[in-house]
């Protein structure tokens, strides 16, 4: 059942990303961050397919993740391929935009963020910097949406000379919408955790921590609950520090 839901999330997420890019961003030459942004720059100035460029520039990141986190690599690779494919085949939508730049910036960002959030919820992504953000979030307390926003901002700032100040400003509106939608959507594939670690973890093989159980709106403290490596693995999605 999980793989069926994951497949649906990848297809729906990739479609939303492709619509957001082609219908709303490209007609106004707006930028997104990450590998999508690099692909858009290649489209604007070199007339290259954005999806193909995304695949090519994602390869170095995938090589690093392949050697450092094999599970994340296998879960993410197909998300990058499918989203890149949809971005290129739906390029015909670029002629359909009749909205203002501001409307397109926000709407495109919400669609892209929703698509990315859906894929992150099922441990896949569009590749490149989204993969890097997910990789870092699994090893830190930083939410993946915040990492994506930071990386996207760096890429948008670096494109200032290429797209001009006005488009850069609207592009920041886009990546803000992307980050907000990603943060809201990236946890929908998981049920609420039965408890949260609130104390220090001890022991290398079997770590225990003080926890707070939450049931029916009440909290109950218990001395220690063992946390295995398998449970730690289940708590890594979306950059959250839950332990199940």
């Amino acid at each position: 059942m999980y793989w069926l839901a994951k497949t649906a999330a990848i297809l729906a997420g990739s479609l939303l990303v492709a619509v957001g890019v082609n219908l709303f961003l490209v007609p106004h030459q707006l930028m997104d961050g990450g590998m999508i942004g690099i692909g858009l720059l290649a489209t604007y100035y070199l007339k290259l397919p954005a999806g193909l460029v995304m695949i090519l520039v994602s390869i170095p990141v995938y090589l690093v993740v392949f050697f450092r986190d094999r599970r994340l690599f296998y879960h993410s690779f197909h998300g990058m391929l499918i989203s890149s494919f949809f971005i290129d085949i739906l390029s015909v939508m670029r002629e359909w935009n009749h909205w203002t730049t501001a409307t397109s910036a926000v709407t495109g960002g919400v669609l892209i963020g929703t698509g990315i959030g859906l894929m992150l919820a099922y441990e896949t992504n569009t590749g490149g910097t989204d993969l890097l953000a997910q990789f870092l979030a699994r090893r830190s307390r930083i939410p993946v949406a915040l990492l994506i926003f930071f990386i996207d901002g760096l890429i948008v700032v670096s494109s200032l000379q290429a797209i001009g100040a006005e488009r850069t400003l609207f592009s920041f509106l886009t990546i803000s919408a992307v980050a907000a939608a990603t943060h809201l959507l990236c946890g929908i594939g998981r049920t609420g955790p039965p408890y949260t670690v609130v104390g220090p973890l001890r022991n290398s093989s079997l770590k225990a921590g003080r926890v707070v159980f939450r049931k029916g709106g009440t909290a109950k403290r218990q001395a220690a609950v063992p946390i295995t490596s398998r449970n730690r693995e289940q708590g890594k999605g979306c950059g959250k520090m839950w332990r199940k």
Side-chain angles (χ1 to χ4, degrees), residues 78-209:
H78 41 279
M80 181 266 292
L81 291 177
I82 294 173
S83 60
S84 300
F85 174 73
F86 276 155
I87 286 174
D88 283 347
I89 66 168
L90 294 180
S91 60
V92 295
M93 301 179 72
R94 296 170 184 176
E95 307 297 326
W96 301 352
N97 183 289
H98 301 288
W99 295 278
T100 65
T101 304
T103 300
S104 296
V106 174
T107 307
V110 169
L111 289 176
I112 293 169
T114 301
I116 291 173
L118 280 173
M119 288 191 279
L120 288 174
Y122 290 90
E123 298 183 293
T124 188
N125 52 67
T126 59
T129 53
D130 288 349
L131 175 64
L132 178 62
Q134 191 174 17
F135 177 78
L136 294 174
R138 287 162 67 96
R139 286 157 177 79
S140 69
R141 293 179 180 272
I142 305 174
V144 67
L146 184 60
L147 287 169
I148 289 175
F149 178 77
F150 178 73
I151 297 171
D152 287 356
L154 291 177
I155 292 176
V156 170
V157 167
S158 67
S159 67
L160 173 62
Q161 189 173 0
I163 66 174
E166 183 180 356
R167 289 194 181 102
T168 299
L169 182 62
F170 281 116
S171 296
F172 268 105
L173 196 58
T174 297
I175 65 172
S176 298
V178 170
T182 298
H183 181 70
L184 289 173
L185 269 294
C186 73
I188 65 169
R190 293 172 177 81
T191 58
Y195 58 79
T196 308
V197 174
V198 297
L201 298 177
R202 301 180 299 274
N203 234 326
S204 57
S205 58
L206 186 62
K207 299 187 178 181

Side-chain angles (χ1 to χ4, degrees), residues 39-96:
L40 288 175
L41 279 177
T43 297
Y44 297 154
Y45 298 103
L46 299 176
K47 307 302 180 185
L48 296 175
L52 177 61
V53 173
M54 286 172 57
I55 293 174
L56 295 177
V57 296
S58 293
I59 290 174
V61 180
Y62 272 100
L63 288 175
V64 172
V65 174
F66 179 80
F67 290 108
R68 298 300 300 271
D69 194 333
R70 199 69 57 86
R71 182 176 179 273
L72 180 59
F73 173 86
Y74 290 127
H75 277 267
S76 302
F77 195 69
H78 41 279
M80 181 266 292
L81 291 177
I82 294 173
S83 60
S84 300
F85 174 73
F86 276 155
I87 286 174
D88 283 347
I89 66 168
L90 294 180
S91 60
V92 295
M93 301 179 72
R94 296 170 184 176
E95 307 297 326
W96 301 352

